Amino acid sequence: AQSVAQPEDQVNVAEGNPLTVKCTYSVSGNPYLFWYVQYPNRGLQFLLKYITGDNLVKGSYGFEAEFNKSQTSFHLKKPSALVSDSALYFCAVRDLKAAGNKLTFGGGTRVLVKP
Amino acid sequence: KAGVTQTPRYLIKTRGQQVTLSCSPISGHRSVSWYQQTPGQGLQFLFEYFSETQRNKGNFPGRFSGRQFSNSRSEMNVSTLELGDSALYLCASSQVLADPSTGELFFGEGSRLTVL
């Protein structure tokens, strides 16, 4: 079965510093990977996805993610964090053995950006 | 273009009651998925509907059910509520341009259910 792991429950970073949120995956075959962000009392918002192609994927709000097949990782990065980036971040993988859109999510990483 | 709309946003029920949650997808999206979010279990997949047919189902008891109408709107129902059903229920819609889909999900803001 496929799975996604986010090893850090929380990441603290100072505003202006680089932000990295870690994600590792386990799938059979090529992965379809996604990052979502959730602000308090809101639904999830799509940030970016990797389907195929360049290992560096650029997304919304200045975020990017690097797909590393050998390390089975898909870490989310932002060069300079903002206080407004404080939120809950989820990594997800699409279940390719099921038709449609079923996603398996990691447990989430809370990001706190301090002024 | 309007986003995914979920109603009601908040509701309180007591054990043993049933609840119906509604989701209106983005116009043109034919796939609707439901997820349960709790602090302990995180985000768990409930089911997905496409063209009024259930395409995928997660590992939830039969008390959890859903349906999709011809206009793609979807409802989910939970019968005989238990305390553990307290959660944020998220609906997401998506276009289906390929199978397996490469598209992202667009989430609503959720329905927060509290079971007393």
Side-chain angles (χ1 to χ4, degrees):
Chain A
Q2 60 187 41
S3 64
V4 172
Q6 294 181 242
E8 300 160 316
D9 289 338
Q10 181 159 325
V11 170
N12 298 317
V13 63
E15 187 174 32
N17 283 1
L19 169 63
T20 298
V21 186
K22 296 179 180 177
C23 171
T24 58
Y25 65 88
S26 175
V27 300
S28 55
N30 294 321
Y32 289 5
L33 296 161
F34 300 78
W35 274 102
Y36 287 84
V37 60
Q38 185 178 34
Y39 297 99
N41 299 313
R42 305 295 296 274
L44 277 67
Q45 295 179 29
F46 169 77
L47 283 176
L48 49 80
K49 65 182 177 184
Y50 173 82
I51 304 299
T52 186
D54 288 342
N55 290 340
L56 186 62
V57 179
K58 293 191 182 296
S60 306
Y61 313 121
F63 283 94
E64 59 188 26
E66 186 171 9
F67 172 70
N68 189 315
K69 189 171 184 177
S70 63
Q71 297 184 4
T72 62
S73 67
F74 189 55
H75 300 333
L76 181 70
K77 299 180 181 182
K78 187 171 184 180
S80 179
L82 301 172
V83 173
S84 57
D85 293 328
S86 297
L88 189 55
Y89 291 79
F90 291 96
C91 182
V93 62
R94 174 139 295 146
D95 185 347
L96 297 184
K97 293 187 177 180
N101 291 310
K102 181 182 178 183
L103 288 178
T104 298
F105 285 89
T109 298
R110 189 166 300 280
V111 170
L112 180 59
V113 182
K114 298 181 179 179
Chain B
K1 192 183 253 191
V4 177
T5 303
Q6 292 189 245
T7 57
R9 289 290 314 278
Y10 303 91
L11 65 167
I12 300 173
K13 295 286 187 178
T14 56
R15 282 180 296 173
Q17 287 187 312
Q18 74 162 9
V19 65
T20 299
L21 309 178
S22 179
C23 172
S24 293
I26 291 173
S27 178
H29 287 189
R30 295 165 61 192
S31 168
V32 174
S33 303
W34 290 89
Y35 289 81
Q36 182 196 62
Q37 185 178 19
T38 59
Q41 299 298 318
L43 279 160
Q44 293 189 289
F45 173 78
L46 280 158
F47 25 65
E48 180 193 2
Y49 288 87
F50 178 75
S51 293
E52 302 179 66
T53 300
Q54 187 180 87
R55 187 156 60 169
N56 285 303
K57 189 176 190 304
N59 296 322
F60 279 82
R63 300 185 297 106
F64 291 81
S65 63
R67 59 178 175 169
Q68 186 181 35
F69 302 95
S70 59
N71 61 358
S72 293
R73 189 177 70 86
S74 177
E75 289 181 348
M76 66 163 285
N77 184 77
V78 187
S79 62
T80 319
L81 284 166
E82 301 177 358
L83 295 179
D85 297 332
S86 294
L88 181 65
Y89 290 88
L90 292 164
C91 169
S93 75
S94 177
Q95 294 180 306
V96 179
L97 303 177
D99 203 359
S101 175
T102 60
E104 62 267 31
L105 300 182
F106 293 84
F107 284 83
E109 297 197 333
S111 292
R112 184 166 296 280
L113 170 65
T114 301
V115 182
L116 302 176

